[in-house]
Amino acid sequence: MKFHAVATLPLVALTLLAPDVAHAGEAVARASDDAAGPATDAGADQDPGTDQIVVTAARTELPASALPLTVDVIAKEKLDQQVAIAGSVVDAVANLSPSFSPTRQKLSGAGETLRGRSPLYAINGIPQSTPVRDGSRDGYTIDPFFLDRVELIYGSNALQGIGATGGVVNQVVAGPPARDGVSGRALVQGSAGDGFHANGLGGKAAALVGWRGGAFDATVGAAYERRGLFYDGDGRIIGIDGTQGDVQDSESWSAFTRLGWQLSDTARLELFANRFQLKGDNEYVQVAGSRALGIPSTSVKGATRGEPVSNRVETVNLTLTDSDLGGGKLVLQAFFNRSRDIFGGSITSTFQDAAIAPVGTLFDQSANQSRKLGARFSYERTFADALTATIGFDSLWDRTAQSLIATGRDWVPPTTFRSLAPFTQLNLGLFDGKLRLAGGVRVEDVKLKVDDYTTLASYGARRVGGGNPSFRDALLNGGVIVEPVAGVRAYASYAEGYSIADIGRILRGINIPNVDIDTFLDISPVVSNNREIGVEVKRGPLDGSVTYFWSSSKLGSLLVLNSGGIYDVQRQRIEIEGLEINLGVRLPVDGLRASMGYAHLAGKTDTNGDDIVDTDLDGANISPDRLNLALDLSRGRVTARVQTGFYLSRNFKGFPPATRFEGYTLTDAMVRYDTGLGGVTLAVSNLFDESYITYNSDTVSVTDNARFFSGRGRAFTLGWDFRF
């Protein structure tokens, strides 16, 4: 075991807010509207004195304006708009945040980054990632119908533990009923591509019903969605990703339950459970395209071998809160999370074993199986109306394996990740809050447990001795906030986040004899240091911010594609810097608002081990620059939005010319009318039917004709939602 503290470096950075998400100031104006629905009560997470939304992912009751962080809140109304346009939380975040990479429009989120690094997806703070063997399915673990809002914390941080090297995407579930009796909401919608092809039709039905009687409340819900095939801007069926998984030609089922007991005026016990499953229909197979001829991959009718590609996640969470225990607030949380991600099968050389079947004939497919148990504690108290102190302790046990389900073999052996992490945070307000100093430390004590195992025959059937490698690390954060006048805020901050390299890829690929895990495996954490400086202004009709940030890691975790078409992990120094600019203005027309957002990112890595970054990060590790423009209208019973994203061209120095990203522009629109008996929404994505190749396909695997995917063309969604 080794211990080392990561020293704070004297370097600052600057960052900025996305234009169409409610950041610290905008959240105040929208709080009453977004909490108005009878089936939810966002007020439970608000400070009644200031009416500011408290960002629960920040692990404090202080409002976002008191924190040296870039924080965005996608409120319920905005989230529903984006889901109607694009269909998922991942797409909603990607559409609204210029620093989030363009999505792959697939089930796998590999290569999708926030500020050039991986974000941590969470549900009410419960991590959805699998750190030992990253299956990149953590963006599809709950139906967005059951969410009240999505909280975004930008930049590396350890507020939620492992994984937030790019930031946190915390999905907050629907709250308890706002009044006694029965209340709820329902949604019915249909979707179709531009040609209204029968195999491209989809639909969704969902309902959430709540009851409250005195101290007790209960909420139950269910959602079902059927997705048809996707067509590109040229009217071609988009290629199915039969290996990593796809959201087209699929079905998803989701169930949600929330039970609450108000123990006293200040104490509440709450249990929620969620089950989500997305499964491919296995009715279409992929046909490779031709990069030389500019013909993207497509799909034709046909069945695939093995089990359908799927994603199944079950989460149970028990929380006890007391807002006035000894003058402070106590939060106790215990959770269970289980996932099973099945990938597509093939007769690949990796799976061959002459002891089972003749070489070249053995079909197999893999499944990631993970089980998490965790408990978290925090207590926060304010002293003399100036100093807010938080202490806490987090624990997590994650046991993950990647098995080959057709033959019952282990590709990645069962591996247990254990984390114990005490933390403390201090926030001091001076001069009536005009100046704030904040800082804290989190000590991560991590241990892996790997039993003896044997690698697959294709790696030489090597016998590997198990072990218990470990590390301990102190992760620091600190910052200063200045608010000289109401509505004007500036801050500078430093924060450390961490992850570990994809241990599973390393364990499964051992091909040399006499390996002992304790001496072979270096699990030193990927500690990323985020420095930023930000200025925010919210006065009158103006709402704007500018941020610059710089992020670095001495032992990064870089995905590099090998000759077999599989990503390996390389430990290289990585440096990323970026500028984010956002501006929102209420126009002199009733209910009309214009907004813009811009993000510039640049990243390099050290490829020769001399501790000097010398090569650009590629498209699997950093996103293109982007400009977002939007116009919102809210007048009477009508709400409408038009948004355009300009994905700017990018060259990757040190890479072949074929990796150049040409860029593209996408425009979406939606309109909703409140009929008095619910609202009718019409959303159109890719309004002008742009024909383009997705960013990941255009910049990564540039010799692979099968993974040459076009983006989705114009698509329509018509829905009706009703509250009672």
Side-chain angles (χ1 to χ4, degrees), residues 311-323:
N311 192 37
R312 187 186 70 206
V313 182
E314 295 152 337
T315 303
V316 180
N317 178 74
L318 180 66
T319 303
L320 172 65
T321 59
D322 193 328
S323 60

Side-chain angles (χ1 to χ4, degrees), residues 17-18 21-30 50-55 63-67 69-73 152 489 536 538 543:
L17 300 173
V21 281
H23 59 263
E26 191 176 356
V28 178
R30 296 184 177 179
T50 63
D51 199 33
Q52 288 187 326
I53 292 178
V54 170
V55 179
S65 59
L67 306 175
L69 303 168
T70 297
V71 177
D72 291 338
V73 177
L152 303 179
R489 186 175 86 108
E536 301 172 8
K538 181 176 175 61
D543 182 1

